Amino acid sequence: ELKVEQNPLFLSMQEGKNYTIYCNYSTTSDRLYWYRQDPGKSLESLFVLLSNGAVKQEGRLMASLDTKARLSTLHITAAVHDLSATYFCAVDMVWAAGNQFYFGTGTSLTVIP
Amino acid sequence: DTEVTQTPKHLVMGMTNKKSLKCEQHMGHRAMYWYKQKAKKPPELMFVYSYEKLSINESVPSRFSPECPNSSLLNLHLHALQPEDSALYLCASSQDPTGTSTDTQYFGPGTRLTVL
């Protein structure tokens, strides 16, 4: 069974600080996705990482993928309050019946002014 | 247009009711998904439709019945639900169910379901 774990589960950080969220997964996959979810809302796609060494950046967020280590990171630079949300990584596995996302446990981020 | 729409936004139903959730996308995607999400938990996959055929059923109780009338629409029929079925139900779609596409899944806004 594929397991996708994130840490930390909860993160409280001050504005202006940097931090990294980690996503580990238990089996080989070359495709890793990051989503953001605001309370009571749906999931918003942030990054699609498709190969080993892939790095994507958007604003204060940067995501990377190391398929050999089965690890993805989401780095937050100079956090602002608007980044407060829950962040999920998801690993894409392709089966005969189709592809299936396995979501990580989620990281609830609170940025304190 | 990368929008997936869902109706209704909120639904309150009794355990003896029959109701349906609806999902629609016009992106030409050939895979559509139903997820269930409890508070502070990740989405849990329920069903996958691939080219309008049910391809993955994650051992969901029969009181949930999916239907894919055409490539743009996905329904979830609800009957005799239990209070523990209260959750946010999310619909998603992606371009290619075979997994050869590298596209992400696009999620709808969800239906907040409360079972009394």
Side-chain angles (χ1 to χ4, degrees), chain A:
Chain A
E1 179 187 339
L2 174 60
K3 290 187 178 180
V4 185
E5 295 180 339
Q6 291 179 233
N7 72 82
L9 296 182
F10 299 94
L11 175 58
S12 180
M13 57 189 298
Q14 286 188 313
E15 278 191 332
K17 298 293 187 182
N18 304 334
Y19 208 84
T20 299
I21 299 170
Y22 298 89
C23 172
N24 290 91
Y25 51 99
S26 62
T27 193
T28 302
S29 175
D30 289 335
R31 293 154 29 151
L32 193 291
Y33 304 81
W34 283 97
Y35 288 87
R36 168 184 171 143
Q37 187 175 35
D38 291 297
K41 302 293 185 181
S42 188
L43 281 80
E44 174 191 354
S45 178
L46 293 175
F47 299 109
V48 178
L49 303 170
L50 300 173
S51 61
N52 186 40
V55 177
K56 296 277 184 76
Q57 182 162 7
E58 180 74 32
R60 300 174 187 275
L61 300 178
M62 183 173 71
S64 66
L65 178 60
D66 181 344
T67 58
K68 294 179 182 177
R70 300 178 187 171
L71 171 69
S72 180
T73 61
L74 181 65
H75 186 73
I76 303 156
T77 302
V80 293
H81 180 67
D82 286 350
L83 291 180
S84 298
T86 298
Y87 293 85
F88 291 100
C89 62
V91 175
D92 187 8
M93 294 297 296
V94 179
W95 310 106
N99 63 320
Q100 183 170 342
F101 273 27
Y102 292 84
F103 280 89
T105 44
T107 296
S108 177
L109 170 65
T110 302
V111 179
I112 304 167

Side-chain angles (χ1 to χ4, degrees), chain B:
Chain B
D1 180 12
T2 57
E3 189 179 25
V4 177
T5 59
Q6 288 186 244
T7 56
K9 291 185 178 179
H10 300 276
L11 179 61
V12 179
M13 59 186 292
M15 290 189 284
T16 58
N17 291 158
K18 285 185 181 181
K19 297 286 184 183
S20 296
L21 308 184
K22 298 186 182 301
C23 174
E24 190 167 3
Q25 57 88 14
H26 293 288
M27 296 178 276
H29 288 175
R30 303 315 300 269
M32 297 185 77
Y33 311 80
W34 279 115
Y35 289 88
K36 173 183 177 180
Q37 187 180 26
K38 301 285 268 185
K40 301 189 186 300
K41 297 292 186 182
E44 299 173 27
L45 183 66
M46 300 174 72
F47 302 105
V48 180
Y49 270 83
S50 170
Y51 293 100
E52 295 137 62
K53 293 189 188 314
L54 184 63
S55 60
I56 295 177
N57 176 342
E58 289 291 287
S59 302
V60 178
S62 60
R63 56 186 184 268
F64 295 91
S65 174
E67 178 196 17
C68 189
N70 60 55
S71 60
S72 300
L73 293 174
L74 186 65
N75 298 323
L76 186 62
H77 303 296
L78 314 173
H79 175 55
L81 295 193
Q82 303 296 310
E84 59 264 29
D85 295 322
S86 298
L88 180 67
Y89 287 83
L90 293 163
C91 173
S93 70
S94 66
Q95 186 175 24
D96 179 5
T98 64
T100 55
S101 167
T102 55
D103 203 7
T104 188
Q105 287 189 12
Y106 295 88
F107 284 81
T111 294
R112 175 73 59 188
L113 174 66
T114 303
V115 182
L116 302 177

